[in-house]
Amino acid sequence: MADAFIFDAVRTPRGIGKDRGSLYTVRPTDLLVTVLEALRERTALDTKQVEDVVIGCVTQTGEQGTCIARFAALEAGYDYAAPGCTVNRFCASGLQAVNQAAAQVAAGWADLVVAGGVESMSRVKMGSDVGAMFDPATQWKIGSVPQGISADLLATLRGISREDVDTYALESQRRALRARDSGKFDRSIVPVRDINGLSILEKDEYPRADCSLARLAELKPSFEMLGRQFGMDTLTRKVYPHVDRINHVHTPGNSSGLVDAAAVMLIGSKKKGRALGLKPRARIVAAVSTGDEPLLMLTGPLPATRLALKKARMELKDIDLFEVNEAFAAVALTYLRELGIDPERMNAHGGAIALGHPLGATGAIILNTALDLLEERNLSTALTTLCIGGGMGTATIIERV
């Protein structure tokens, strides 16, 4: 097996994923073109050398349909010889794309691959691709419920209170604002511009400077009516009959935000990098995905982390930094508590509660954040992981070089 290296990584800012967001007027293809062009320019990349463009995207319909990876690469002026592939592993799609690229390189089947993700949640609505996940027959057969119900069930099972999730959310906001406003994200962010070259968005738009515990406490639970009045809570008793009543604690303030964004990385072998004059920034040590119980569905980062460590022949103490997607505050709190991780080592620059979760791009973005943090703090190793709809987890370990 060969080593797979990350040579560079770029992303757009995250724009609010609604029609009032700054990126609402920007096609998802153009978001992806923005980062593909930036990656080529930053690395002086001869795109004829690129053997695949692997892009994660969750809602593959409308403007995000018909293999957005291939057509964005063509619009970005990549050589015709660089093919494209769009992948969907729900919330981990961006990280899955990176892992798939790394596997191609490690197997010797490719020497240079561009990988990342894109999602325009303002223009292509989450769930508009329908499918089995939203089919009542499937939901009844496997006991599936909306993720918000699962998040509240997780909080109930782990004894996580409303105060706990709000306190965690406030800290995520503080960290994200501090990082954004002090320029910690600037190395990787490329502005989104219009056809005239004028800037549309240069910094992450979602963080709330006015956030406080008092404001968070005023928000009503997002899933209580769905769970209690529409019977979704009852569906959970098929697997968790001992839970008499779900404590609905998640609100828009302590759950991940809808945003628009794209991100890509250049991944390849040491030999190809040397031939092209590329200096590796990190080595991909392990890349895994696991299945987990599909009704609770949000605990996937735990088995994924354990498997990644096993594959890498490492222990938790060998990891300097963790990036765990904040789909819901209870997900991050469960991860911290069950693995006994120092909170200062996880999501040091905030997470999706403050910065947003552009489904197909998030995995690539938070791996990018982990890479930048390792260099910023002169550390060695980082582990990135996400929970996934349907009960899965994906994790990637990198080592700075």
Side-chain angles (χ1 to χ4, degrees):
M1 296 289 286
D3 284 327
F5 293 92
I6 301 172
F7 295 112
D8 206 0
V10 296
R11 71 172 178 91
T12 67
R14 281 164 278 198
I16 293 171
K18 298 181 179 180
D19 57 12
R20 62 183 173 86
S22 295
L23 299 180
Y24 174 64
T25 60
V26 182
R27 298 182 308 155
T29 302
D30 290 330
L31 292 175
L32 193 48
V33 166
T34 295
V35 288
L36 288 169
E37 290 179 340
L39 186 69
R40 180 186 60 208
E41 292 164 8
R42 282 169 51 130
T43 60
L45 178 63
D46 175 7
T47 58
K48 189 178 291 186
Q49 304 292 322
V50 175
E51 294 176 72
D52 211 350
V53 178
V54 185
I55 298 298
C57 183
V58 174
T59 311
Q60 293 182 33
T61 189
E63 291 181 319
Q64 291 180 168
T66 62
C67 193
I68 193 172
R70 173 60 171 171
F71 287 95
L74 291 173
E75 283 201 40
Y78 277 44
D79 194 273
Y80 293 165
C85 172
T86 308
V87 301
N88 182 2
R89 199 186 288 276
F90 293 146
C91 296
S93 296
L95 194 59
Q96 174 64 33
V98 171
N99 291 354
Q100 185 168 316
Q104 289 176 253
V105 172
W109 293 349
D111 292 309
L112 197 67
V113 181
V114 173
V118 64
E119 203 82 30
S120 175
M121 301 184 77
S122 65
R123 295 175 69 101
V124 185
K125 301 303 181 184
M126 181 169 55
S128 58
D129 54 341
V130 296
M133 185 176 184
F134 304 100
D135 185 338
T138 299
Q139 290 179 334
W140 276 102
K141 189 171 183 178
I142 66 171
S144 177
V145 294
Q147 280 197 349
I149 302 295
S150 295
D152 288 338
L153 173 62
L154 176 62
T156 303
L157 290 168
R158 298 301 195 276
I160 296 171
S161 68
R162 173 65 184 271
E163 182 180 3
D164 291 336
V165 291
D166 283 351
T167 299
Y168 181 89
L170 179 60
E171 181 60 18
S172 181
Q173 291 282 355
R174 287 173 174 167
R175 293 184 183 192
L177 284 163
R178 183 169 62 241
R180 184 193 68 177
D181 296 344
S182 62
K184 299 296 186 182
F185 299 138
D186 290 356
R187 173 174 183 173
S188 295
I189 285 184
V190 292
V192 179
R193 303 184 184 278
D194 64 16
I195 58 173
N196 298 311
L198 300 176
S199 178
I200 297 174
L201 186 64
E202 298 184 357
K203 290 184 179 292
D204 292 311
E205 185 175 38
Y206 195 76
R208 294 288 300 268
D210 61 349
C211 187
S212 68
L213 282 178
R215 284 179 175 270
L216 288 169
E218 292 172 355
L219 298 174
K220 294 182 179 180
S222 299
F223 310 102
E224 186 170 29
M225 181 176 292
L226 184 64
R228 293 180 181 166
Q229 295 187 22
F230 290 89
M232 289 295 176
D233 285 2
T234 304
L235 294 180
T236 67
R237 291 176 190 152
K238 178 180 179 180
V239 181
Y240 301 94
H242 56 288
V243 179
D244 293 328
R245 184 179 179 88
I246 293 177
N247 183 22
H248 291 281
V249 298
H250 287 95
T251 71
N254 54 45
S255 307
S256 57
L258 307 181
V259 291
D260 307 333
V264 289
M265 294 182 165
L266 183 60
I267 297 168
S269 65
K270 180 180 288 187
K271 182 179 179 181
K272 176 62 75 170
R274 188 182 297 119
L276 297 179
L278 299 167
K279 183 179 179 181
R281 294 176 62 188
R283 178 174 70 95
I284 297 176
V285 180
V288 305
S289 289
T290 61
D292 203 14
E293 196 278 293
L295 191 146
L296 188 59
M297 91 174 69
L298 301 174
T299 54
L302 295 169
T305 292
R306 294 183 179 111
L307 180 59
L309 291 170
K310 180 180 179 181
K311 294 287 186 182
R313 298 180 182 178
M314 300 172 74
E315 299 178 12
L316 280 170
K317 63 182 177 60
D318 299 321
I319 304 297
D320 295 318
L321 295 171
F322 296 83
E323 285 291 321
V324 179
N325 187 38
E326 296 172 354
F328 301 91
V331 173
L333 286 169
T334 296
Y335 192 88
L336 281 170
R337 294 178 181 183
E338 295 210 6
L339 296 181
I341 295 170
D342 179 355
E344 295 302 316
R345 295 167 60 200
M346 192 179 97
N347 297 359
H349 287 340
I353 289 171
L355 293 159
H357 176 20
L359 304 178
T362 303
I365 290 175
I366 63 177
L367 185 61
N368 187 339
T369 299
L371 175 58
D372 286 348
L373 268 164
L374 289 178
E375 294 173 341
E376 172 194 325
R377 299 186 175 187
N378 194 28
L379 297 172
S380 295
T381 56
L383 186 150
T384 297
T385 185
L386 302 92
C387 60
I388 309 171
M392 296 182 283
T394 294
T396 303
I397 297 174
I398 61 171
E399 178 184 43
R400 187 168 65 92
V401 297

